[in-house]
Amino acid sequence: MLSSIKSAIHYDRKNLDNKTLLQLYKTMLKPRLIEEKMLILLRQGKVSKWFSGIGQEAISVGVTMALQSDEYILPMHRNLGVFTTREIPLQRLFSQWQGKANGFTKGRDRSFHFGTQEYHIVGMISHLGPQLGVADGIALASKLKNKNQVTAVFTGEGGTSEGDFHEALNVAAVWQLPVIFCIENNGYGLSTPTSEQYFCKDLADRGKGYGIDSFILDGNNILEVYGKVLKLAESVRKRPRPILIEFKTFRMRGHEEASGTKYVPTELIKEWEAKDPINNYRNYLFNLGVLTTAQDNQFQSTIKAEIDVALQAASAEETIKADESVELNDVYAEFDYQHVEPKSNSEDIRFIDAISQGLRQSMKRHRDLVIMGQDIAEYGGAFKITEGFVAEFGKERVRNTPICESAIVETAMGLSIAGMKAIVEMQFADFVSSGFNPIVNYLAKSHYRWNEKADVVIRMPCGAGVAAGPFHSQTNEAWFTKTPGLKVVYPAFPYDAKGLLNTAINDPNPVLFFEHKALYRSIRQDVPTDYFTIPFGKAALLKEGNDITIITYGAGVHWALDTLSKNEDVKADLIDLRTLQPLDSEAIFNSVKKTGRAIILQEDSMFGGIASDLSAMLMEQCFEYLDAPVKRVASMETPIPFINQLEDQYLAKGKFEAALRAVLAY
Ligand SMILES: Cc1ncc(C[n+]2csc(CCOP(=O)(O)OP(=O)(O)O)c2C)c(N)n1
């Protein structure tokens, strides 16, 4: 097998010295030998799932070797070579794959689904595409801090069909971000051949459409990969800009080991077997006289011994013991809340002004805070909340974005990974659906999965009552209260809006911050002019009475206040939740235990809304104290209609008074 046959790959060492040539060889050999071991372990049932990168090692290794060790790499599921080239101790890798505590996810996620700041690797989520936008954010941080660093991110050719790919490339191009986008075109996405994945000749051609320089490289040729990426990285460090590289390669094994390769023509496998990146390079080094058989044997036995020792050590580690409190404690990053008491000077301002003030003061306090959103710069945003911000903080920190909600949320995540803070303004909360995946899967789960915070606030101008129809009126907080890992804030007054927004920005966790549009210009209040904060998880008791507990938030608070002002005989505890996650359940239970009756008012349609959960919680915790069934009042189970008569009918507001009376009369 190790004969000096002619290489199927043309190598050109250029000015690389022998040491580097050998280093590249050894670095490719390691992931291959680990993989060969993994295949045995799989057969023995000692590993649950394995995505093989056999035959693709030159890409992972070449790219990683070409980057500096403190430059971020965002690999995918076939990039074992990235992890080994960064010299992560093998024992930790095996622990990760065995779901041991010494791994990177404490048994919470499998295979390559982890990142590590120590090694500047940001692992994937299963959804593939979001990695690309996260790379944008890391690169943006590098550019803003003049670090002259490049970020490399991987995708398969299948992943390039996802919207994330297109959004990420577009954002990187518009902002000239120093990202090297690496497409590993290995012929198949699961069982789908390239002919059913895309219609252009080469994926590199797509670069042109985004104004990005692109290249096609032989992904099986380590010297071509390493040499070219080395050069490109050097150039990108000097002149930040995105680069797109399509590496032509082949997936030699099944999508994952259990799935086989029946759908792949045998000739194709044979053709690519002849182009194996390691065998060919080994032969090249033999022919060159740089590597001897004895040396090769020694390399192999050293690596194999290292693998065996690491594997034994990982296997000897204790298995994880399930402990609810340990799991629950890791969902959110620790937040050391610093209370800033409001000073006495205050002014009467609108809800919208309070948000604007909070943002402005937080921008001054946090030099690393960046706001991104559509039309938020010179134009001041759809609601003019960031008017004047560009003049005060500059365009680098107040960034107009393309209409790329997913990539911008991902970019925010990348900024956080690189140690910055980000706010994303959704133009309307409705449009968050276009950035939903990274919020609920990337931001929400990062801390639990690999201890990485997502220091991002997503501002959500939401709500109905403005005759704006189904796509500019939704209050979609329930999409997020459902997802562990997110915090959800929903103020009803200017004072709370400012204080809670400041807290949201200080909090290292992802916060969905709902701002009701109908309150923006209609609700005024005396608000301290200086900076202050309000803690999360503390509801406000706006009115006190013994007849009934009204629980609500957002516009619902104002509907309830209106109703109570017209029904002065009703003596109610009125609870404004202010934050939905964390939830002040203690305030709710205490009040209901006192009043014996509860009505929950929410603007969203009924089913699956937070009112349902609150009702269930009350049944579980306060049943013996209740004198009447808990009542939920919510909007109709339809999309939100546009014209006033229909919108009025739709909204819970009109049903509240009668429902309140009914519970009292029960
Ligand atoms: C959004 C999403 N859709 C589908 C899948 C299922 N899936 C996982 S990997 C994969 C194929 C990916 O192909 P490609 O990007 O070419 O990478 P390769 O596996 O070939 O390296 C599919 C369909 C997924 N993980 N995420």
Side-chain angles (χ1 to χ4, degrees), residues 139-146 370 396-397 399 415 420:
L140 175 60
S142 158
K143 197 172 169 182
L144 293 177
K145 293 183 172 181
N146 294 315
V370 172
E396 291 202 326
R397 294 181 62 204
R399 307 185 74 87
L415 284 172
M420 297 186 72

Side-chain angles (χ1 to χ4, degrees), residues 56 77-78 126-128 155-159 162 184 186 188-190 251 255:
Q56 299 180 219
H77 46 291
R78 297 191 202 285
S126 289
H127 299 66
L128 317 166
T155 176
E157 84 289 345
E162 291 189 64
E184 282 184 89
N186 64 8
Y188 286 83
L190 215 156
R251 200 193 68 205
H255 169 64

Side-chain angles (χ1 to χ4, degrees), residues 93-108:
L93 289 179
F94 285 119
S95 305
Q96 166 65 21
W97 299 325
Q98 292 181 5
K100 300 278 178 72
N102 186 39
F104 292 87
T105 64
K106 302 185 194 167
R108 293 169 188 164

